[in-house]
Amino acid sequence: MGMFSRRKFLTTAGLSTVSAIALNACSGGGEAPKTTDATTKASPDATATSTPKVSAADAPETTKAKLGFIALTDSAPLIIAKEKGLFEKYGMKDVEVLKQASWGTTRDNIVLGSEAGGIDGAHILSPMPYLIAEGKITNGNKVPMYILARLNTNGQAMSIANEFKELKITLKSDTLKDSFAKIKSGGKEVKCAVTFPGGNHDLWMRYWLASNGIDPNTDVSTIVVPPPQMVANMKAGNMQAFCVGEPWNARLVAQNVGYTAFITGEFWKDHPEKAFTMRGDWVDKNPKATKAILAAVLEAQIWCEKAENKEEMCKIIGADKWLKVPPAEILGRLQGKVDYGDGRTLDNPDLAMKFWKDNASYPYKSHDLWFVTEDMRWGYFDADTDAKKLVDKVNREDIWKEAAKMIGEEAAIPKSTSRGIETFFDGVKFDPENPSEYLKGLKIKKA
């Protein structure tokens, strides 16, 4: 992969079988398994109705689309839109929601497109559409991409192996740097697992390490493991820490394999997380179908946000064909109830994953600007990248606004494309009006 071969991401060589399989999945394309028809049809409180809300003038150009998802709680809006008949409600009766083995597989299938056996869009790490659009993770092949919505805020965590439990590692840790240095001086590698180079979890991991005085480029080795493989790899002793979305941190604690250092709502409250993206050529060719799909996704996000729907949501997405996780292991953290696994607990719904509340669905350009700036920080984008121009090209908040109006949620449209100055756990602030100043002020960086 061009630029990543020069980076310190480990290859599968030298890792145990379980890690090798996980890492290999990141680069393999593979055919996504076909999803069967929805088994959980609309319940009485569901948002779908038997009468389509699509006028003849708004009839979609096609009723077909293939959308990818990774087995994570934040893929719920796509799964619920499928299971609750919301795609059909807006005239998209042939939408398929297909499980992807890794973010690398998602990338490969997006590059292929559905006409070549791939997918048209996906639940995705927010920086990935930018990296794909610029050819940074596709061997120079620039595939135009659009971000249509944010799927959620919050809901990720940093997990640590049990061997560090007595050190009580949290957001700010005096012992983290010394303990990692001690392992390295003993001739062993310190491995921190993330889900994709330049993706959300890589950036959370790098920011956290750097904030604690650790250079992620020189002091540790960053390895790539698909989300569903994280727990097995920690159990096999393949890493000291990992950052991933739920329910995999909760599963780690449930299996007593490690503990949670912090949840990402504590790291950066209401931070942007996954996005809903589609290929630019598909959107340009099918603008009405795009709006219909997005309307269904937004309506699913509203459904997922309601407290009374959380248990049913967990039962639906926990099924074998979706996440293949016991619903009880998804529900707790979704409600803001966190067992860190080291004696600490938390009950704070305001730090939990949000799908709609507090503008969680709106794709703020200011948030995408932070993602691009951080990818510049670590060398995934060139230091002279025009971040604002790139965000304006990929972020299609205009389509989000149209879809919101379509479902009667015009009042949910924010007044600004910027959420303003963001503050992180260490007191550092990101002003989207001056990203270069933010970048300049960071001590540990590659750029």
Side-chain angles (χ1 to χ4, degrees):
M1 228 1 78
M3 66 176 293
F4 292 134
S5 61
R6 303 195 300 272
R7 207 157 300 287
K8 258 197 99 175
F9 283 91
L10 296 186
T11 61
T12 58
L15 295 180
S16 74
T17 304
V18 65
S19 188
I21 291 168
L23 286 166
N24 189 50
C26 272
S27 58
E31 190 177 338
K34 189 166 182 175
T35 307
T36 54
D37 289 337
T39 52
T40 311
K41 289 300 177 187
S43 59
D45 71 330
T47 47
T49 63
S50 55
T51 308
K53 288 190 174 182
V54 184
S55 68
D58 284 330
E61 301 83 359
T62 176
T63 60
K64 296 178 181 179
K66 291 185 176 183
L67 308 176
F69 81 99
I70 293 278
L72 291 159
T73 306
D74 46 37
S75 66
L78 294 192
I79 296 170
I80 294 301
K82 176 68 179 173
E83 292 279 14
K84 290 290 184 182
L86 296 173
F87 291 126
E88 290 92 329
K89 175 179 175 178
Y90 290 100
M92 296 301 296
K93 63 186 180 66
D94 301 306
V95 170
E96 292 178 77
V97 179
L98 306 164
K99 188 181 284 187
Q100 310 295 298
S102 67
W103 294 119
T105 308
T106 301
R107 170 204 60 208
D108 294 345
N109 282 329
I110 281 175
V111 170
L112 282 173
S114 63
E115 289 181 9
I119 56 180
D120 303 303
H123 152 248
I124 205 165
L125 298 167
S126 286
M128 282 183 71
Y130 291 96
L131 294 164
I132 293 170
E134 291 299 288
K136 297 296 184 181
I137 55 174
T138 54
N139 287 324
N141 179 18
K142 296 183 179 183
V143 179
M145 298 295 298
Y146 293 149
I147 283 180
L148 302 175
R150 199 79 59 202
L151 286 177
N152 66 299
T153 57
N154 302 332
Q156 323 296 297
M158 188 71 65
S159 285
I160 310 289
N162 274 338
E163 63 184 282
F164 298 96
K165 199 173 273 191
E166 289 180 12
L167 296 178
K168 302 188 185 304
I169 293 168
T170 56
L171 272 166
K172 287 297 283 182
S173 174
D174 297 330
T175 58
L176 186 65
K177 186 176 181 179
D178 288 343
S179 61
F180 278 9
K182 192 175 176 183
I183 293 169
K184 198 172 178 186
S185 65
K188 289 184 180 177
E189 264 185 308
V190 178
K191 297 173 191 169
C192 298
V194 298
T195 62
F196 191 82
N200 305 35
H201 307 101
D202 183 29
L203 299 182
W204 308 146
M205 176 68 79
R206 286 170 176 273
Y207 190 106
W208 175 63
L209 291 172
S211 180
N212 283 287
I214 298 166
D215 189 330
N217 287 321
T218 57
D219 298 337
V220 301
S221 296
T222 313
I223 65 172
V224 175
V225 177
Q229 298 295 328
M230 288 291 190
V231 177
N233 275 275
M234 186 75 96
K235 196 179 286 185
N238 290 329
M239 70 274 249
Q240 280 77 21
F242 69 67
C243 186
V244 74
E246 296 301 348
W248 306 109
N249 303 283
R251 290 223 82 185
L252 186 85
V253 171
Q255 294 181 27
N256 195 29
V257 178
Y259 69 99
T260 295
F262 61 88
I263 59 170
T264 49
E266 298 169 298
F267 172 95
W268 172 12
K269 189 174 183 297
D270 293 339
H271 67 82
E273 244 312 307
K274 304 304 183 302
F276 175 51
T277 191
M278 292 196 79
R279 285 177 57 113
D281 58 357
W282 197 95
V283 172
D284 293 341
K285 185 181 175 184
N286 304 292
K288 292 175 184 176
T290 299
K291 194 162 72 169
I293 289 172
L294 188 53
V297 171
L298 299 193
E299 200 161 318
Q301 288 183 273
I302 294 169
W303 187 91
C304 290
E305 188 63 54
K306 293 178 180 174
E308 64 268 27
N309 294 335
K310 300 289 187 194
E311 285 193 37
E312 184 186 353
M313 186 193 111
C314 291
K315 283 178 188 170
I316 293 171
I317 70 173
D320 284 1
K321 70 173 180 175
W322 302 118
L323 270 59
K324 203 174 182 180
V325 172
E329 290 184 21
I330 307 172
L331 182 61
R333 294 195 179 199
L334 194 62
Q335 295 174 323
K337 296 171 183 173
V338 181
D339 173 3
Y340 292 83
D342 61 359
R344 293 176 298 145
T345 58
L346 176 79
D347 188 353
N348 186 349
D350 201 36
L351 293 181
M353 187 177 292
K354 296 174 184 176
F355 296 99
W356 186 259
K357 187 183 174 189
D358 299 328
N359 298 325
S361 170
Y362 190 77
Y364 283 105
K365 285 188 176 181
S366 61
H367 288 161
D368 282 353
L369 191 59
W370 181 83
F371 282 123
V372 174
T373 302
E374 277 290 303
D375 272 343
M376 289 165 65
R377 174 187 186 181
W378 301 115
Y380 296 114
F381 281 123
D382 298 335
D384 61 354
T385 298
D386 188 335
K388 186 181 182 302
K389 185 179 177 183
L390 179 56
V391 169
D392 285 342
K393 184 169 72 171
V394 175
N395 182 302
R396 294 300 305 271
E397 58 171 11
D398 56 314
I399 302 177
W400 191 98
K401 291 174 184 176
E402 290 174 22
K405 290 174 186 173
M406 189 173 173
I407 66 168
E409 289 288 343
E410 191 167 356
I413 300 172
K415 291 189 173 74
S416 172
T417 186
S418 171
R419 203 173 68 174
I421 294 172
E422 303 286 348
T423 305
F424 302 88
F425 72 94
D426 55 0
V428 172
K429 294 181 186 297
F430 173 73
D431 182 354
E433 296 299 315
N434 199 349
S436 60
E437 195 63 30
Y438 164 83
L439 201 51
K440 210 179 292 178
L442 299 166
K443 290 176 185 172
I444 299 176
K445 58 195 169 194
K446 190 173 172 104

